[in-house]
Amino acid sequence: MEENMEEGQTQKGCFECCIKCLGGIPYASLIATILLYAGVALFCGCGHEALSGTVNILQTYFEMARTAGDTLDVFTMIDIFKYVIYGIAAAFFVYGILLMVEGFFTTGAIKDLYGDFKITTCGRCVSAWFIMLTYLFMLAWLGVTAFTSLPVYMYFNLWTICRNATLVEGANLCLDLRQFGIVTIGEEKKICTVSENFLRMCESTELNMTFHLFIVALAGAGAAVIAMVHYLMVLSANWAYVKDACRMQKYEDIKSKEEQELHDIHSTRSKERLNAYT
């Protein structure tokens, strides 16, 4: 009988511990972090593979070659974009962890472990800093989303030309890379529907795959923007919580001081009365 009671108390204690742990999780920050990681993963992974596919298409079907020396050509720019993607993936992986830690501290997830939750000036400065940094990152991701839409537009035009060439017989449609700024004005790199390279490019799966990879990368950038907006809402709510908690803390300190002063006054008067009586 005693063993059953002990087991029941143990199960009850574990259940209460689980409830406390689940109650301390900042779910809003967790959702924003998952959305941020998903968006960054889609953008970085699909964007990297789409850039590699673009290099293969330019070299195979447009017969472009890398320029020798330190000349800044389209292939060098693509390599730079790949390194930027590596940096974005690493930076936002760390930033997502920092925001989750900030969410745990602000929501008071460690309150029961360390006693009363105290709001410090440093904590308020950190919250304000994260709000400003997240706002700047949101603007940066808006720029990345707008920039990612450019290759989607280019590949959509190329895909449309391939589709119209198969629907309309005898149509002579051309795509000139100079109109997109990929090559200089003096360098003519265009492909027409009557050429063999154009037919092979339209029939290959590489064009379709690269086009859809850029679309997924654009969707990932949009998801990152939504995650940044979500983070801004969470951080603003946390800032309001910190501000109210700070005011409440000051009120409690003033109240405790007043109560202590009143207690000291009553004690002094009681002693005076006792001395007068004696």
Side-chain angles (χ1 to χ4, degrees), residues 177-214:
L177 296 181
R178 291 178 296 182
Q179 63 183 348
F180 298 111
I182 298 178
V183 295
T184 59
I185 299 297
E187 186 179 4
E188 184 177 356
K189 291 292 182 181
K190 69 178 180 179
I191 188 171
C192 298
T193 56
V194 294
S195 63
E196 183 180 355
N197 286 339
F198 182 84
L199 296 176
R200 289 192 299 111
M201 181 182 63
C202 291
E203 292 175 357
S204 66
T205 58
E206 193 171 18
L207 175 64
N208 192 37
M209 178 62 69
T210 304
F211 177 42
H212 286 86
L213 284 173
F214 271 121

PDB file of all heavy atoms in Angstrom, residues 177-214:
ATOM      1  N   LEU A 177      21.456  37.809 -73.685  1.00  0.00           N
ATOM      2  CA  LEU A 177      21.881  38.002 -72.303  1.00  0.00           C
ATOM      3  C   LEU A 177      22.245  39.449 -71.999  1.00  0.00           C
ATOM      4  O   LEU A 177      22.304  39.844 -70.837  1.00  0.00           O
ATOM      5  CB  LEU A 177      23.075  37.087 -71.993  1.00  0.00           C
ATOM      6  CG  LEU A 177      22.802  35.586 -72.049  1.00  0.00           C
ATOM      7  CD1 LEU A 177      24.065  34.812 -71.693  1.00  0.00           C
ATOM      8  CD2 LEU A 177      21.663  35.189 -71.123  1.00  0.00           C
ATOM      9  N   ARG A 178      22.477  40.260 -73.027  1.00  0.00           N
ATOM     10  CA  ARG A 178      22.831  41.653 -72.794  1.00  0.00           C
ATOM     11  C   ARG A 178      21.678  42.450 -72.200  1.00  0.00           C
ATOM     12  O   ARG A 178      21.895  43.430 -71.470  1.00  0.00           O
ATOM     13  CB  ARG A 178      23.289  42.295 -74.117  1.00  0.00           C
ATOM     14  CG  ARG A 178      24.620  41.769 -74.626  1.00  0.00           C
ATOM     15  CD  ARG A 178      25.004  42.389 -75.951  1.00  0.00           C
ATOM     16  NE  ARG A 178      24.057  42.025 -77.013  1.00  0.00           N
ATOM     17  CZ  ARG A 178      24.185  42.408 -78.293  1.00  0.00           C
ATOM     18  NH1 ARG A 178      25.220  43.168 -78.642  1.00  0.00           N
ATOM     19  NH2 ARG A 178      23.301  42.035 -79.186  1.00  0.00           N
ATOM     20  N   GLN A 179      20.448  42.051 -72.474  1.00  0.00           N
ATOM     21  CA  GLN A 179      19.312  42.794 -71.945  1.00  0.00           C
ATOM     22  C   GLN A 179      19.115  42.563 -70.439  1.00  0.00           C
ATOM     23  O   GLN A 179      18.405  43.319 -69.779  1.00  0.00           O
ATOM     24  CB  GLN A 179      18.042  42.395 -72.687  1.00  0.00           C
ATOM     25  CG  GLN A 179      17.656  40.936 -72.528  1.00  0.00           C
ATOM     26  CD  GLN A 179      16.432  40.566 -73.352  1.00  0.00           C
ATOM     27  OE1 GLN A 179      15.745  41.430 -73.864  1.00  0.00           O
ATOM     28  NE2 GLN A 179      16.176  39.272 -73.486  1.00  0.00           N
ATOM     29  N   PHE A 180      19.764  41.536 -69.897  1.00  0.00           N
ATOM     30  CA  PHE A 180      19.716  41.278 -68.465  1.00  0.00           C
ATOM     31  C   PHE A 180      20.981  41.730 -67.749  1.00  0.00           C
ATOM     32  O   PHE A 180      21.087  41.552 -66.532  1.00  0.00           O
ATOM     33  CB  PHE A 180      19.493  39.785 -68.202  1.00  0.00           C
ATOM     34  CG  PHE A 180      18.198  39.264 -68.743  1.00  0.00           C
ATOM     35  CD1 PHE A 180      18.180  38.388 -69.817  1.00  0.00           C
ATOM     36  CD2 PHE A 180      16.990  39.661 -68.204  1.00  0.00           C
ATOM     37  CE1 PHE A 180      16.984  37.904 -70.321  1.00  0.00           C
ATOM     38  CE2 PHE A 180      15.789  39.188 -68.699  1.00  0.00           C
ATOM     39  CZ  PHE A 180      15.780  38.311 -69.763  1.00  0.00           C
ATOM     40  N   GLY A 181      21.937  42.279 -68.493  1.00  0.00           N
ATOM     41  CA  GLY A 181      23.167  42.756 -67.874  1.00  0.00           C
ATOM     42  C   GLY A 181      24.136  41.656 -67.494  1.00  0.00           C
ATOM     43  O   GLY A 181      25.073  41.907 -66.719  1.00  0.00           O
ATOM     44  N   ILE A 182      23.933  40.454 -68.000  1.00  0.00           N
ATOM     45  CA  ILE A 182      24.833  39.352 -67.662  1.00  0.00           C
ATOM     46  C   ILE A 182      26.163  39.492 -68.384  1.00  0.00           C
ATOM     47  O   ILE A 182      27.220  39.152 -67.836  1.00  0.00           O
ATOM     48  CB  ILE A 182      24.160  37.999 -67.988  1.00  0.00           C
ATOM     49  CG1 ILE A 182      22.895  37.839 -67.126  1.00  0.00           C
ATOM     50  CG2 ILE A 182      25.111  36.837 -67.756  1.00  0.00           C
ATOM     51  CD1 ILE A 182      22.131  36.577 -67.409  1.00  0.00           C
ATOM     52  N   VAL A 183      26.134  39.983 -69.615  1.00  0.00           N
ATOM     53  CA  VAL A 183      27.357  40.231 -70.384  1.00  0.00           C
ATOM     54  C   VAL A 183      27.375  41.705 -70.783  1.00  0.00           C
ATOM     55  O   VAL A 183      26.370  42.413 -70.689  1.00  0.00           O
ATOM     56  CB  VAL A 183      27.415  39.323 -71.643  1.00  0.00           C
ATOM     57  CG1 VAL A 183      27.517  37.862 -71.249  1.00  0.00           C
ATOM     58  CG2 VAL A 183      26.210  39.561 -72.542  1.00  0.00           C
ATOM     59  N   THR A 184      28.532  42.165 -71.250  1.00  0.00           N
ATOM     60  CA  THR A 184      28.672  43.565 -71.660  1.00  0.00           C
ATOM     61  C   THR A 184      27.969  43.802 -72.993  1.00  0.00           C
ATOM     62  O   THR A 184      27.606  42.861 -73.715  1.00  0.00           O
ATOM     63  CB  THR A 184      30.159  43.924 -71.777  1.00  0.00           C
ATOM     64  OG1 THR A 184      30.782  43.054 -72.740  1.00  0.00           O
ATOM     65  CG2 THR A 184      30.854  43.762 -70.429  1.00  0.00           C
ATOM     66  N   ILE A 185      27.800  45.083 -73.336  1.00  0.00           N
ATOM     67  CA  ILE A 185      27.106  45.437 -74.567  1.00  0.00           C
ATOM     68  C   ILE A 185      27.878  44.978 -75.800  1.00  0.00           C
ATOM     69  O   ILE A 185      27.298  44.524 -76.799  1.00  0.00           O
ATOM     70  CB  ILE A 185      26.871  46.964 -74.622  1.00  0.00           C
ATOM     71  CG1 ILE A 185      26.006  47.406 -73.433  1.00  0.00           C
ATOM     72  CG2 ILE A 185      26.203  47.368 -75.933  1.00  0.00           C
ATOM     73  CD1 ILE A 185      24.624  46.805 -73.430  1.00  0.00           C
ATOM     74  N   GLY A 186      29.199  45.042 -75.729  1.00  0.00           N
ATOM     75  CA  GLY A 186      29.997  44.654 -76.885  1.00  0.00           C
ATOM     76  C   GLY A 186      30.099  43.166 -77.099  1.00  0.00           C
ATOM     77  O   GLY A 186      30.557  42.722 -78.165  1.00  0.00           O
ATOM     78  N   GLU A 187      29.673  42.374 -76.132  1.00  0.00           N
ATOM     79  CA  GLU A 187      29.763  40.912 -76.245  1.00  0.00           C
ATOM     80  C   GLU A 187      28.372  40.351 -76.540  1.00  0.00           C
ATOM     81  O   GLU A 187      27.452  40.463 -75.723  1.00  0.00           O
ATOM     82  CB  GLU A 187      30.309  40.325 -74.947  1.00  0.00           C
ATOM     83  CG  GLU A 187      30.576  38.825 -75.022  1.00  0.00           C
ATOM     84  CD  GLU A 187      31.146  38.310 -73.709  1.00  0.00           C
ATOM     85  OE1 GLU A 187      31.260  39.104 -72.750  1.00  0.00           O
ATOM     86  OE2 GLU A 187      31.467  37.108 -73.649  1.00  0.00           O
ATOM     87  N   GLU A 188      28.211  39.761 -77.694  1.00  0.00           N
ATOM     88  CA  GLU A 188      26.908  39.235 -78.112  1.00  0.00           C
ATOM     89  C   GLU A 188      26.790  37.770 -77.711  1.00  0.00           C
ATOM     90  O   GLU A 188      27.522  36.905 -78.205  1.00  0.00           O
ATOM     91  CB  GLU A 188      26.728  39.385 -79.622  1.00  0.00           C
ATOM     92  CG  GLU A 188      25.347  38.929 -80.102  1.00  0.00           C
ATOM     93  CD  GLU A 188      25.146  39.135 -81.596  1.00  0.00           C
ATOM     94  OE1 GLU A 188      26.061  39.702 -82.220  1.00  0.00           O
ATOM     95  OE2 GLU A 188      24.097  38.726 -82.115  1.00  0.00           O
ATOM     96  N   LYS A 189      25.865  37.509 -76.804  1.00  0.00           N
ATOM     97  CA  LYS A 189      25.591  36.146 -76.362  1.00  0.00           C
ATOM     98  C   LYS A 189      24.087  35.952 -76.361  1.00  0.00           C
ATOM     99  O   LYS A 189      23.391  36.247 -75.390  1.00  0.00           O
ATOM    100  CB  LYS A 189      26.156  35.899 -74.954  1.00  0.00           C
ATOM    101  CG  LYS A 189      27.666  35.857 -74.875  1.00  0.00           C
ATOM    102  CD  LYS A 189      28.235  34.630 -75.580  1.00  0.00           C
ATOM    103  CE  LYS A 189      29.748  34.575 -75.454  1.00  0.00           C
ATOM    104  NZ  LYS A 189      30.312  33.398 -76.146  1.00  0.00           N
ATOM    105  N   LYS A 190      23.566  35.487 -77.478  1.00  0.00           N
ATOM    106  CA  LYS A 190      22.139  35.245 -77.561  1.00  0.00           C
ATOM    107  C   LYS A 190      21.896  33.874 -78.158  1.00  0.00           C
ATOM    108  O   LYS A 190      22.742  33.303 -78.859  1.00  0.00           O
ATOM    109  CB  LYS A 190      21.444  36.323 -78.390  1.00  0.00           C
ATOM    110  CG  LYS A 190      21.759  36.321 -79.872  1.00  0.00           C
ATOM    111  CD  LYS A 190      20.968  37.400 -80.572  1.00  0.00           C
ATOM    112  CE  LYS A 190      21.247  37.427 -82.077  1.00  0.00           C
ATOM    113  NZ  LYS A 190      20.455  38.466 -82.753  1.00  0.00           N
ATOM    114  N   ILE A 191      20.730  33.367 -77.862  1.00  0.00           N
ATOM    115  CA  ILE A 191      20.343  32.044 -78.334  1.00  0.00           C
ATOM    116  C   ILE A 191      18.944  32.150 -78.925  1.00  0.00           C
ATOM    117  O   ILE A 191      18.061  32.811 -78.352  1.00  0.00           O
ATOM    118  CB  ILE A 191      20.411  31.024 -77.175  1.00  0.00           C
ATOM    119  CG1 ILE A 191      20.189  29.601 -77.695  1.00  0.00           C
ATOM    120  CG2 ILE A 191      19.436  31.357 -76.078  1.00  0.00           C
ATOM    121  CD1 ILE A 191      20.469  28.549 -76.643  1.00  0.00           C
ATOM    122  N   CYS A 192      18.749  31.532 -80.074  1.00  0.00           N
ATOM    123  CA  CYS A 192      17.465  31.607 -80.791  1.00  0.00           C
ATOM    124  C   CYS A 192      16.844  30.225 -80.903  1.00  0.00           C
ATOM    125  O   CYS A 192      17.515  29.202 -80.743  1.00  0.00           O
ATOM    126  CB  CYS A 192      17.667  32.215 -82.181  1.00  0.00           C
ATOM    127  SG  CYS A 192      18.303  33.908 -82.159  1.00  0.00           S
ATOM    128  N   THR A 193      15.560  30.234 -81.197  1.00  0.00           N
ATOM    129  CA  THR A 193      14.825  28.969 -81.237  1.00  0.00           C
ATOM    130  C   THR A 193      15.246  28.067 -82.392  1.00  0.00           C
ATOM    131  O   THR A 193      14.980  26.867 -82.352  1.00  0.00           O
ATOM    132  CB  THR A 193      13.320  29.265 -81.352  1.00  0.00           C
ATOM    133  OG1 THR A 193      13.085  30.091 -82.515  1.00  0.00           O
ATOM    134  CG2 THR A 193      12.810  29.978 -80.122  1.00  0.00           C
ATOM    135  N   VAL A 194      15.881  28.641 -83.417  1.00  0.00           N
ATOM    136  CA  VAL A 194      16.277  27.816 -84.577  1.00  0.00           C
ATOM    137  C   VAL A 194      17.615  27.127 -84.338  1.00  0.00           C
ATOM    138  O   VAL A 194      18.012  26.274 -85.136  1.00  0.00           O
ATOM    139  CB  VAL A 194      16.381  28.708 -85.841  1.00  0.00           C
ATOM    140  CG1 VAL A 194      15.000  29.235 -86.222  1.00  0.00           C
ATOM    141  CG2 VAL A 194      17.369  29.850 -85.632  1.00  0.00           C
ATOM    142  N   SER A 195      18.322  27.456 -83.261  1.00  0.00           N
ATOM    143  CA  SER A 195      19.633  26.861 -83.011  1.00  0.00           C
ATOM    144  C   SER A 195      19.486  25.517 -82.306  1.00  0.00           C
ATOM    145  O   SER A 195      18.490  25.233 -81.624  1.00  0.00           O
ATOM    146  CB  SER A 195      20.489  27.799 -82.168  1.00  0.00           C
ATOM    147  OG  SER A 195      19.888  27.994 -80.902  1.00  0.00           O
ATOM    148  N   GLU A 196      20.511  24.695 -82.469  1.00  0.00           N
ATOM    149  CA  GLU A 196      20.490  23.366 -81.851  1.00  0.00           C
ATOM    150  C   GLU A 196      20.635  23.453 -80.339  1.00  0.00           C
ATOM    151  O   GLU A 196      20.027  22.671 -79.595  1.00  0.00           O
ATOM    152  CB  GLU A 196      21.617  22.517 -82.440  1.00  0.00           C
ATOM    153  CG  GLU A 196      21.643  21.090 -81.916  1.00  0.00           C
ATOM    154  CD  GLU A 196      22.769  20.278 -82.520  1.00  0.00           C
ATOM    155  OE1 GLU A 196      23.464  20.799 -83.421  1.00  0.00           O
ATOM    156  OE2 GLU A 196      22.958  19.129 -82.078  1.00  0.00           O
ATOM    157  N   ASN A 197      21.444  24.421 -79.849  1.00  0.00           N
ATOM    158  CA  ASN A 197      21.625  24.569 -78.401  1.00  0.00           C
ATOM    159  C   ASN A 197      20.322  24.926 -77.698  1.00  0.00           C
ATOM    160  O   ASN A 197      20.050  24.470 -76.576  1.00  0.00           O
ATOM    161  CB  ASN A 197      22.670  25.645 -78.114  1.00  0.00           C
ATOM    162  CG  ASN A 197      24.078  25.185 -78.412  1.00  0.00           C
ATOM    163  OD1 ASN A 197      24.345  23.980 -78.466  1.00  0.00           O
ATOM    164  ND2 ASN A 197      24.982  26.128 -78.622  1.00  0.00           N
ATOM    165  N   PHE A 198      19.501  25.735 -78.382  1.00  0.00           N
ATOM    166  CA  PHE A 198      18.228  26.117 -77.776  1.00  0.00           C
ATOM    167  C   PHE A 198      17.312  24.907 -77.634  1.00  0.00           C
ATOM    168  O   PHE A 198      16.661  24.724 -76.597  1.00  0.00           O
ATOM    169  CB  PHE A 198      17.560  27.191 -78.635  1.00  0.00           C
ATOM    170  CG  PHE A 198      16.254  27.684 -78.061  1.00  0.00           C
ATOM    171  CD1 PHE A 198      16.236  28.678 -77.105  1.00  0.00           C
ATOM    172  CD2 PHE A 198      15.048  27.142 -78.486  1.00  0.00           C
ATOM    173  CE1 PHE A 198      15.045  29.130 -76.573  1.00  0.00           C
ATOM    174  CE2 PHE A 198      13.855  27.595 -77.962  1.00  0.00           C
ATOM    175  CZ  PHE A 198      13.855  28.589 -76.996  1.00  0.00           C
ATOM    176  N   LEU A 199      17.272  24.078 -78.645  1.00  0.00           N
ATOM    177  CA  LEU A 199      16.419  22.892 -78.586  1.00  0.00           C
ATOM    178  C   LEU A 199      16.891  21.935 -77.501  1.00  0.00           C
ATOM    179  O   LEU A 199      16.080  21.360 -76.762  1.00  0.00           O
ATOM    180  CB  LEU A 199      16.399  22.208 -79.947  1.00  0.00           C
ATOM    181  CG  LEU A 199      15.782  23.023 -81.097  1.00  0.00           C
ATOM    182  CD1 LEU A 199      15.904  22.262 -82.414  1.00  0.00           C
ATOM    183  CD2 LEU A 199      14.324  23.360 -80.809  1.00  0.00           C
ATOM    184  N   ARG A 200      18.193  21.754 -77.407  1.00  0.00           N
ATOM    185  CA  ARG A 200      18.722  20.857 -76.374  1.00  0.00           C
ATOM    186  C   ARG A 200      18.475  21.424 -74.980  1.00  0.00           C
ATOM    187  O   ARG A 200      18.196  20.674 -74.035  1.00  0.00           O
ATOM    188  CB  ARG A 200      20.225  20.633 -76.590  1.00  0.00           C
ATOM    189  CG  ARG A 200      20.551  19.775 -77.805  1.00  0.00           C
ATOM    190  CD  ARG A 200      22.006  19.327 -77.831  1.00  0.00           C
ATOM    191  NE  ARG A 200      22.934  20.449 -77.885  1.00  0.00           N
ATOM    192  CZ  ARG A 200      23.737  20.794 -76.899  1.00  0.00           C
ATOM    193  NH1 ARG A 200      23.713  20.127 -75.748  1.00  0.00           N
ATOM    194  NH2 ARG A 200      24.568  21.829 -77.016  1.00  0.00           N
ATOM    195  N   MET A 201      18.568  22.745 -74.826  1.00  0.00           N
ATOM    196  CA  MET A 201      18.328  23.364 -73.523  1.00  0.00           C
ATOM    197  C   MET A 201      16.867  23.214 -73.106  1.00  0.00           C
ATOM    198  O   MET A 201      16.567  22.919 -71.939  1.00  0.00           O
ATOM    199  CB  MET A 201      18.718  24.842 -73.572  1.00  0.00           C
ATOM    200  CG  MET A 201      18.529  25.573 -72.252  1.00  0.00           C
ATOM    201  SD  MET A 201      18.949  27.332 -72.360  1.00  0.00           S
ATOM    202  CE  MET A 201      17.721  27.888 -73.541  1.00  0.00           C
ATOM    203  N   CYS A 202      15.962  23.414 -74.043  1.00  0.00           N
ATOM    204  CA  CYS A 202      14.535  23.299 -73.711  1.00  0.00           C
ATOM    205  C   CYS A 202      14.135  21.862 -73.402  1.00  0.00           C
ATOM    206  O   CYS A 202      13.236  21.628 -72.585  1.00  0.00           O
ATOM    207  CB  CYS A 202      13.691  23.841 -74.866  1.00  0.00           C
ATOM    208  SG  CYS A 202      13.821  25.633 -75.097  1.00  0.00           S
ATOM    209  N   GLU A 203      14.782  20.909 -74.028  1.00  0.00           N
ATOM    210  CA  GLU A 203      14.464  19.506 -73.791  1.00  0.00           C
ATOM    211  C   GLU A 203      15.126  18.949 -72.539  1.00  0.00           C
ATOM    212  O   GLU A 203      14.710  17.904 -72.035  1.00  0.00           O
ATOM    213  CB  GLU A 203      14.891  18.669 -75.000  1.00  0.00           C
ATOM    214  CG  GLU A 203      14.064  18.946 -76.264  1.00  0.00           C
ATOM    215  CD  GLU A 203      14.600  18.199 -77.470  1.00  0.00           C
ATOM    216  OE1 GLU A 203      15.652  17.517 -77.329  1.00  0.00           O
ATOM    217  OE2 GLU A 203      13.972  18.286 -78.537  1.00  0.00           O
ATOM    218  N   SER A 204      16.146  19.644 -72.031  1.00  0.00           N
ATOM    219  CA  SER A 204      16.849  19.147 -70.851  1.00  0.00           C
ATOM    220  C   SER A 204      16.054  19.445 -69.583  1.00  0.00           C
ATOM    221  O   SER A 204      15.239  20.368 -69.535  1.00  0.00           O
ATOM    222  CB  SER A 204      18.239  19.791 -70.755  1.00  0.00           C
ATOM    223  OG  SER A 204      18.112  21.179 -70.514  1.00  0.00           O
ATOM    224  N   THR A 205      16.301  18.629 -68.559  1.00  0.00           N
ATOM    225  CA  THR A 205      15.650  18.838 -67.254  1.00  0.00           C
ATOM    226  C   THR A 205      16.385  19.873 -66.408  1.00  0.00           C
ATOM    227  O   THR A 205      15.863  20.315 -65.382  1.00  0.00           O
ATOM    228  CB  THR A 205      15.599  17.513 -66.486  1.00  0.00           C
ATOM    229  OG1 THR A 205      16.933  17.006 -66.316  1.00  0.00           O
ATOM    230  CG2 THR A 205      14.765  16.485 -67.249  1.00  0.00           C
ATOM    231  N   GLU A 206      17.571  20.252 -66.846  1.00  0.00           N
ATOM    232  CA  GLU A 206      18.376  21.191 -66.065  1.00  0.00           C
ATOM    233  C   GLU A 206      17.749  22.573 -66.011  1.00  0.00           C
ATOM    234  O   GLU A 206      17.746  23.225 -64.960  1.00  0.00           O
ATOM    235  CB  GLU A 206      19.777  21.280 -66.679  1.00  0.00           C
ATOM    236  CG  GLU A 206      20.790  21.981 -65.797  1.00  0.00           C
ATOM    237  CD  GLU A 206      22.195  21.858 -66.347  1.00  0.00           C
ATOM    238  OE1 GLU A 206      22.333  21.538 -67.542  1.00  0.00           O
ATOM    239  OE2 GLU A 206      23.139  22.090 -65.577  1.00  0.00           O
ATOM    240  N   LEU A 207      17.167  23.013 -67.115  1.00  0.00           N
ATOM    241  CA  LEU A 207      16.519  24.324 -67.147  1.00  0.00           C
ATOM    242  C   LEU A 207      15.310  24.353 -66.220  1.00  0.00           C
ATOM    243  O   LEU A 207      15.136  25.282 -65.423  1.00  0.00           O
ATOM    244  CB  LEU A 207      16.109  24.666 -68.572  1.00  0.00           C
ATOM    245  CG  LEU A 207      15.301  25.962 -68.745  1.00  0.00           C
ATOM    246  CD1 LEU A 207      16.124  27.167 -68.340  1.00  0.00           C
ATOM    247  CD2 LEU A 207      14.811  26.097 -70.186  1.00  0.00           C
ATOM    248  N   ASN A 208      14.475  23.327 -66.315  1.00  0.00           N
ATOM    249  CA  ASN A 208      13.281  23.270 -65.479  1.00  0.00           C
ATOM    250  C   ASN A 208      13.640  23.172 -63.997  1.00  0.00           C
ATOM    251  O   ASN A 208      13.017  23.813 -63.139  1.00  0.00           O
ATOM    252  CB  ASN A 208      12.433  22.074 -65.902  1.00  0.00           C
ATOM    253  CG  ASN A 208      11.038  22.102 -65.295  1.00  0.00           C
ATOM    254  OD1 ASN A 208      10.435  23.160 -65.152  1.00  0.00           O
ATOM    255  ND2 ASN A 208      10.531  20.944 -64.924  1.00  0.00           N
ATOM    256  N   MET A 209      14.671  22.375 -63.688  1.00  0.00           N
ATOM    257  CA  MET A 209      15.089  22.211 -62.305  1.00  0.00           C
ATOM    258  C   MET A 209      15.640  23.515 -61.737  1.00  0.00           C
ATOM    259  O   MET A 209      15.299  23.914 -60.611  1.00  0.00           O
ATOM    260  CB  MET A 209      16.147  21.107 -62.209  1.00  0.00           C
ATOM    261  CG  MET A 209      16.690  20.885 -60.808  1.00  0.00           C
ATOM    262  SD  MET A 209      15.419  20.354 -59.626  1.00  0.00           S
ATOM    263  CE  MET A 209      15.076  18.705 -60.272  1.00  0.00           C
ATOM    264  N   THR A 210      16.475  24.196 -62.502  1.00  0.00           N
ATOM    265  CA  THR A 210      17.058  25.457 -62.023  1.00  0.00           C
ATOM    266  C   THR A 210      15.977  26.510 -61.810  1.00  0.00           C
ATOM    267  O   THR A 210      16.014  27.272 -60.834  1.00  0.00           O
ATOM    268  CB  THR A 210      18.107  25.965 -63.024  1.00  0.00           C
ATOM    269  OG1 THR A 210      19.083  24.949 -63.239  1.00  0.00           O
ATOM    270  CG2 THR A 210      18.796  27.207 -62.506  1.00  0.00           C
ATOM    271  N   PHE A 211      15.010  26.568 -62.715  1.00  0.00           N
ATOM    272  CA  PHE A 211      13.908  27.528 -62.594  1.00  0.00           C
ATOM    273  C   PHE A 211      13.126  27.294 -61.307  1.00  0.00           C
ATOM    274  O   PHE A 211      12.842  28.233 -60.543  1.00  0.00           O
ATOM    275  CB  PHE A 211      13.010  27.407 -63.817  1.00  0.00           C
ATOM    276  CG  PHE A 211      11.793  28.288 -63.787  1.00  0.00           C
ATOM    277  CD1 PHE A 211      11.872  29.597 -63.340  1.00  0.00           C
ATOM    278  CD2 PHE A 211      10.559  27.796 -64.196  1.00  0.00           C
ATOM    279  CE1 PHE A 211      10.749  30.416 -63.308  1.00  0.00           C
ATOM    280  CE2 PHE A 211       9.435  28.603 -64.165  1.00  0.00           C
ATOM    281  CZ  PHE A 211       9.525  29.908 -63.718  1.00  0.00           C
ATOM    282  N   HIS A 212      12.794  26.039 -61.022  1.00  0.00           N
ATOM    283  CA  HIS A 212      12.016  25.734 -59.823  1.00  0.00           C
ATOM    284  C   HIS A 212      12.852  25.896 -58.551  1.00  0.00           C
ATOM    285  O   HIS A 212      12.305  26.237 -57.486  1.00  0.00           O
ATOM    286  CB  HIS A 212      11.448  24.317 -59.913  1.00  0.00           C
ATOM    287  CG  HIS A 212      10.305  24.191 -60.875  1.00  0.00           C
ATOM    288  ND1 HIS A 212      10.477  23.956 -62.221  1.00  0.00           N
ATOM    289  CD2 HIS A 212       8.957  24.312 -60.684  1.00  0.00           C
ATOM    290  CE1 HIS A 212       9.296  23.910 -62.816  1.00  0.00           C
ATOM    291  NE2 HIS A 212       8.354  24.126 -61.909  1.00  0.00           N
ATOM    292  N   LEU A 213      14.157  25.671 -58.632  1.00  0.00           N
ATOM    293  CA  LEU A 213      15.010  25.917 -57.470  1.00  0.00           C
ATOM    294  C   LEU A 213      15.034  27.394 -57.099  1.00  0.00           C
ATOM    295  O   LEU A 213      15.010  27.751 -55.906  1.00  0.00           O
ATOM    296  CB  LEU A 213      16.432  25.422 -57.745  1.00  0.00           C
ATOM    297  CG  LEU A 213      16.656  23.910 -57.685  1.00  0.00           C
ATOM    298  CD1 LEU A 213      18.067  23.560 -58.136  1.00  0.00           C
ATOM    299  CD2 LEU A 213      16.400  23.374 -56.289  1.00  0.00           C
ATOM    300  N   PHE A 214      15.075  28.260 -58.092  1.00  0.00           N
ATOM    301  CA  PHE A 214      15.023  29.694 -57.807  1.00  0.00           C
ATOM    302  C   PHE A 214      13.670  30.089 -57.214  1.00  0.00           C
ATOM    303  O   PHE A 214      13.606  30.976 -56.343  1.00  0.00           O
ATOM    304  CB  PHE A 214      15.289  30.499 -59.079  1.00  0.00           C
ATOM    305  CG  PHE A 214      16.739  30.789 -59.329  1.00  0.00           C
ATOM    306  CD1 PHE A 214      17.369  30.353 -60.490  1.00  0.00           C
ATOM    307  CD2 PHE A 214      17.485  31.508 -58.409  1.00  0.00           C
ATOM    308  CE1 PHE A 214      18.708  30.619 -60.719  1.00  0.00           C
ATOM    309  CE2 PHE A 214      18.827  31.779 -58.632  1.00  0.00           C
ATOM    310  CZ  PHE A 214      19.442  31.332 -59.793  1.00  0.00           C
TER     311      PHE A 214
END
